Amino acid sequence: MAIRDGARALADNKQQWSERPPRYEYVLTESGRAFRPVLIALYAWGNENFPPEAPNVLLVHKDSGIDVDPLLIDRSTGDPLDEEHTSFQPGPSADDRLRAVLARRNEVTT
């Protein structure tokens, strides 16, 4: 899949909001709305690893207006999705090469 195809799957509904110069707003598709947690994870990662002097955008709770501190967790256990609690394992269609790579990686992290 090309990047353009992926972008189209996320926001395909283009609406013009200015004629001069022509400017468009891209309305999220259902796939685009489902991608929101990924964007929030990238937002949190960026703020943690490249903290801005003064942020140009904040993620806040809609009702309270208080800054949100995103955390990815496993729905069934409530554990954070970090290296202490999770690992990538080969799936049913993994080939031998991928199985070997994951086996080596899991040996190093344990």
Side-chain angles (χ1 to χ4, degrees), residues 5 10 12 18-19 28 40-41 43-44 50-51 56 63 71 77 88 92 106:
D5 297 331
L10 297 176
D12 197 25
S18 173
E19 289 189 29
L28 292 177
I40 291 172
Y43 164 86
F50 305 99
N56 61 357
D63 295 334
L71 172 67
T77 64
F88 286 102
N106 289 327

Side-chain angles (χ1 to χ4, degrees), residues 3-15:
I3 291 175
R4 178 181 29 218
D5 297 331
R8 203 173 288 129
L10 297 176
D12 197 25
N13 308 320
K14 186 165 94 168
Q15 297 175 351

Side-chain angles (χ1 to χ4, degrees), residues 1 11 18 28-29 33 35 42 48-50 52 54 57-58 69 75 78 85 89 92 95 100 102 105-106:
M1 172 191 300
S18 173
L28 292 177
T29 62
R33 287 187 295 279
F35 194 71
L42 289 171
E48 183 176 324
N49 293 282
F50 305 99
V57 67
L58 298 171
D69 184 16
R75 185 185 315 257
H85 295 94
Q89 300 293 322
D95 61 16
L102 291 173
R105 170 140 170 71
N106 289 327

Side-chain angles (χ1 to χ4, degrees), residues 38-48 55 57-60 67-68 70:
V38 175
L39 293 176
I40 291 172
L42 289 171
Y43 164 86
W45 175 83
N47 283 346
E48 183 176 324
V57 67
L58 298 171
L59 182 63
V60 300
D67 287 355
V68 173

